[in-house]
């Protein structure tokens, strides 16, 4: 199989779909890899590094999309990239379709086989291809929030950990999953007061056992969310329902009643955000004000630390890339039901139930396309 790795074109996105070490593994399995010139610049990798492990380097994305059997990316294809997809071509990347009807419509029209990292599952539950970036985003959320809380950035002008004789900031984390638990680990290290809210008691028990008295765990209901959000200096949203739009746990009314200068970091923005006032931003313009509350809603947070993020992502994606390349998409998905859960769109049909329900498409069972 010929695998194509285009350069990412989303604003301030520096990650790359395959590292040279991943390319070396793919080539060792007998496949060809074509990489766009400059694709690895953001992580300090040159075209020569890719050539050294057997990749072919070309100048344009158009050449890659025209020749590759499978496209391996990081972020969802932008409009110009979607226009180059063709019938039956495999696209393996993050998609986050539920809050993006335009992208979904283009992928349906393309006829491509679109497999989303974020809905691939694993035995015993969990999302193995989303987890590495959720780890990064959860840890980054605290440092982004700390920066936004500086007066110069529009925040309260408060240090997360305070100092002797001055109380620390209060951080409220919505969700005790991968994002929330990683955010909590970093947050307690700053010396801040940390509250984690979730409706899954097992997740709260895990955090309680891990972090002890350094974090307060709270069961999620409307009253608890409102009470703690209104008292927060920093709110971090880390809610995820796989494939579906994130629930709006923080209402516009709550935001209006929050402290002037408080900060919201909505990590769930890839799935539409868990705050009613959230809208996607970029690393170029990461924040905006709603009333007197500063919002940070960058949709590709891990892109700011591309070296760490790319290697972490490749560690997780490479086995699935090899399955798809070695067996072809039909056989690979038939053999691995967890990979099959990643199929979102194929041959003009929406195969992810949550995406179909959210965007009003007829849902097609992936199994019918594998027969």
């Amino acid at each position: 199989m010929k695998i194509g790795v285009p350069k990412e074109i989303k604003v301030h996105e520096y990650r790359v779909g395959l590292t040279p070490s991943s390319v070396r593994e793919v080539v060792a399995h007998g496949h060809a890899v074509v990489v766009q010139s400059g694709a690895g610049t953001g992580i300090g990798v040159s075209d020569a590094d890719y050539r050294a492990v057997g990749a072919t380097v070309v100048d344009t994305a158009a050449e890659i999309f025209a020749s590759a059997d499978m496209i391996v990316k990081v972020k969802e294809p932008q409009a110009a990239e979607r226009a180059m997809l063709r019938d039956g071509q495999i696209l393996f990347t993050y998609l986050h379709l539920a809050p993006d009807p335009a992208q979904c419509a283009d992928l349906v029209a393309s006829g491509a086989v679109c497999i989303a990292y974020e809905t691939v599952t694993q035995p015993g539950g969990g999302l193995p291809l989303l987890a590495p970036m959720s780890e990064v985003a959860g840890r980054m959320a605290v440092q982004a929030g700390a920066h936004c809380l500086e007066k110069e950035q529009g925040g309260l002008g408060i240090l997360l950990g305070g100092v002797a004789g001055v109380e620390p900031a209060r951080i409220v984390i919505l969700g005790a999953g991968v994002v929330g638990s990683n955010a909590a680990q970093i947050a307690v290290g700053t010396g801040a007061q940390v509250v984690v809210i979730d409706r899954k008691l097992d997740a709260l028990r895990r955090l309680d056992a891990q972090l002890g008295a350094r974090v307060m765990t709270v069961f999620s209901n409307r009253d608890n969310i409102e009470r703690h959000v209104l008292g927060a200096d920093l709110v971090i949203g880390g809610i995820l329902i796989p494939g579906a739009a994130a629930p709006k746990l923080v209402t516009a009314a709550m935001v209006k009643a929050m402290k002037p200068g408080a900060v919201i970091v909505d990590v769930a923005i890839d799935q539409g955000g868990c705050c009613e006032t959230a809208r996607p931003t970029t690393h170029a313009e990461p924040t905006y004000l709603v009333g007197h509350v500063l919002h940070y809603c960058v949709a590709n947070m891990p892109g700011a630390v591309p070296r760490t993020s790319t290697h972490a992502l490749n560690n997780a994606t490479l086995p699935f890339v090899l399955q798809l390349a070695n067996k072809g998409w039909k056989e690979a998905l038939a053999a691995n039901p967890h990979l099959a859960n990643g199929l979102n769109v194929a041959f003009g049909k929406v195969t992810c139930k949550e995406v179909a329900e959210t965007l009003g498409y007829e849902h097609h069972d992936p199994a019918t396309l594998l027969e």
Side-chain angles (χ1 to χ4, degrees), residues 225-239:
I225 291 171
E226 181 174 350
R227 180 162 52 88
H228 286 285
V229 164
L230 296 190
D233 301 304
L234 169 61
V235 175
I236 295 173
I239 303 299

Side-chain angles (χ1 to χ4, degrees), residues 119-138:
T119 59
V120 173
T121 56
Q122 65 186 14
L127 304 169
L129 305 190
L130 187 61
M133 298 303 94
S134 295
E135 290 174 346
V136 172

Side-chain angles (χ1 to χ4, degrees), residues 188-221:
V188 297
T190 69
Q193 298 176 14
V194 182
V195 177
V196 179
I197 302 176
D198 201 298
R199 64 182 179 181
K200 296 178 181 176
L201 291 177
D202 285 344
L204 295 178
R205 290 189 183 104
R206 184 190 69 245
L207 267 183
D208 188 64
Q210 180 182 2
L211 299 175
R214 294 180 294 170
V215 62
M216 179 191 301
T217 57
V218 176
F219 181 75
S220 179
N221 58 39

Side-chain angles (χ1 to χ4, degrees), residues 235-314:
V235 175
I236 295 173
I239 303 299
L240 175 70
I241 299 176
K248 305 298 184 185
L249 300 185
V250 180
T251 66
M254 289 183 202
V255 172
K256 187 176 181 179
M258 288 175 69
K259 298 177 184 179
V263 172
I264 294 173
V265 177
D266 198 338
V267 184
I269 196 64
D270 273 331
Q271 292 295 125
C274 61
C275 176
E276 279 188 346
T277 51
R279 57 176 172 79
T281 61
T282 67
H283 289 292
E285 296 182 36
T287 63
Y288 61 92
L289 280 168
V290 175
H292 298 287
V293 176
L294 193 64
H295 291 56
Y296 179 101
C297 304
V298 175
N300 60 328
M301 288 178 65
V305 286
R307 292 196 189 195
T308 299
S309 299
T310 295
H311 288 287
L313 180 60
N314 271 236

Side-chain angles (χ1 to χ4, degrees), residues 15-353:
R15 291 171 289 179
V16 62
L18 292 176
T19 62
S21 60
S22 293
V23 169
R24 183 178 180 183
E25 292 296 321
V26 172
V27 170
H29 280 76
H31 306 290
V33 179
V34 56
V35 179
Q36 185 178 354
S37 180
T41 302
I43 63 166
V45 171
S46 68
D47 293 348
D49 293 327
Y50 279 110
R51 292 191 183 98
V53 294
T56 299
V57 177
V58 299
D59 291 330
T60 67
E63 295 172 83
I64 290 174
F65 280 85
S67 64
D69 303 303
M70 175 165 62
I71 302 294
V72 177
K73 282 176 44 60
V74 178
K75 287 307 292 177
E76 70 278 358
Q78 304 300 289
E81 295 172 312
R82 300 195 296 265
M84 293 188 283
L85 290 167
R86 64 177 189 274
D87 192 67
Q89 189 173 43
I90 303 167
L91 172 66
F92 194 34
T93 188
Y94 287 117
L95 293 177
H96 298 291
L97 292 178
D100 194 347
Q103 184 196 174
C104 190
D106 286 349
L107 295 185
V108 167
S110 74
V113 176
C114 307
I115 303 170
Y117 293 162
E118 73 272 10
T119 59
V120 173
T121 56
Q122 65 186 14
L127 304 169
L129 305 190
L130 187 61
M133 298 303 94
S134 295
E135 290 174 346
V136 172
R139 293 173 182 232
M140 284 188 67
V142 179
Q143 67 184 49
H147 181 60
C148 290
L149 279 169
E150 295 173 10
K151 194 66 175 178
E152 182 180 279
Q153 304 303 316
L156 274 164
I158 187 172
L159 184 65
L160 289 185
V163 292
V166 180
E167 66 181 33
R170 189 171 183 84
I171 301 175
V172 173
I173 301 169
L174 301 175
V178 179
V179 169
S181 59
N182 277 270
Q185 288 179 48
I186 301 302
V188 297
T190 69
Q193 298 176 14
V194 182
V195 177
V196 179
I197 302 176
D198 201 298
R199 64 182 179 181
K200 296 178 181 176
L201 291 177
D202 285 344
L204 295 178
R205 290 189 183 104
R206 184 190 69 245
L207 267 183
D208 188 64
Q210 180 182 2
L211 299 175
R214 294 180 294 170
V215 62
M216 179 191 301
T217 57
V218 176
F219 181 75
S220 179
N221 58 39
R222 287 176 175 81
D223 183 67
N224 285 337
I225 291 171
E226 181 174 350
R227 180 162 52 88
H228 286 285
V229 164
L230 296 190
D233 301 304
L234 169 61
V235 175
I236 295 173
I239 303 299
L240 175 70
I241 299 176
K248 305 298 184 185
L249 300 185
V250 180
T251 66
M254 289 183 202
V255 172
K256 187 176 181 179
M258 288 175 69
K259 298 177 184 179
V263 172
I264 294 173
V265 177
D266 198 338
V267 184
I269 196 64
D270 273 331
Q271 292 295 125
C274 61
C275 176
E276 279 188 346
T277 51
R279 57 176 172 79
T281 61
T282 67
H283 289 292
E285 296 182 36
T287 63
Y288 61 92
L289 280 168
V290 175
H292 298 287
V293 176
L294 193 64
H295 291 56
Y296 179 101
C297 304
V298 175
N300 60 328
M301 288 178 65
V305 286
R307 292 196 189 195
T308 299
S309 299
T310 295
H311 288 287
L313 180 60
N314 271 236
N315 290 343
T317 58
L318 179 60
F320 295 98
V321 170
L322 291 173
Q323 289 177 46
L324 290 165
N326 291 341
K327 299 179 180 180
W329 75 272
K330 277 194 173 184
E331 185 179 339
L333 268 59
N336 186 344
H338 296 288
L339 181 56
N341 288 334
L343 188 66
N344 277 213
V345 177
F347 299 106
K349 299 177 180 178
V350 177
T351 57
C352 177
K353 184 177 180 181

